[in-house]
Amino acid sequence: MSRISRRSLLAQSGTTAVGAMVGGAAAAQPAQAAEAAADTTPADFPKGTLFAGTALLGDNPENPRLTIKFSVAATEAPPEANDITPTDLAELLNDFAAARGWQSFTFYGTPAPAPLN
């Protein structure tokens, strides 16, 4: 079972807010609403997918860059309470990096170049 990341939730909330400003959620056409929901749905990555992300130290583009790569695979599906998802690790790594002064990472899964978080 997948979980929604904080960034995905914020993106959905932002989409909802923009829809309300443009004319309200009631004014949206059903097809447009379905398309908007599909845009914020995270990609479905197979177990063992390699994820990579790069971040800067601070805001200056000439500062050092840090690249982190990881994958998650279990020999058997663990109970939901014990499952560690790639999104869990991405959020944990972002929190740790931010505490050390790094910008936020957006991790992309390979071979499909789709964002994880």
Side-chain angles (χ1 to χ4, degrees), residues 11-28:
Q12 290 173 358
S13 299
T15 302
T16 303
V18 170
M21 289 189 308
V22 171

Side-chain angles (χ1 to χ4, degrees), residues 58-74:
D59 293 328
N60 186 345
E62 294 180 14
N63 284 352
R65 296 178 187 271
L66 175 66
T67 300
I68 295 178
K69 297 178 183 181
F70 70 90
S71 66
V72 179

Side-chain angles (χ1 to χ4, degrees), residues 6-83:
R6 289 180 285 184
R7 287 192 180 87
S8 295
L9 184 59
L10 289 173
Q12 290 173 358
S13 299
T15 302
T16 303
V18 170
M21 289 189 308
V22 171
Q29 298 295 325
Q32 291 171 333
E35 186 177 323
D39 291 342
T40 60
T41 304
D44 186 24
F45 295 102
K47 296 286 185 192
T49 296
L50 178 64
F51 296 97
T54 301
L56 285 171
L57 182 61
D59 293 328
N60 186 345
E62 294 180 14
N63 284 352
R65 296 178 187 271
L66 175 66
T67 300
I68 295 178
K69 297 178 183 181
F70 70 90
S71 66
V72 179
T75 56
E76 296 178 27
E80 186 175 336
N82 302 101
D83 194 19

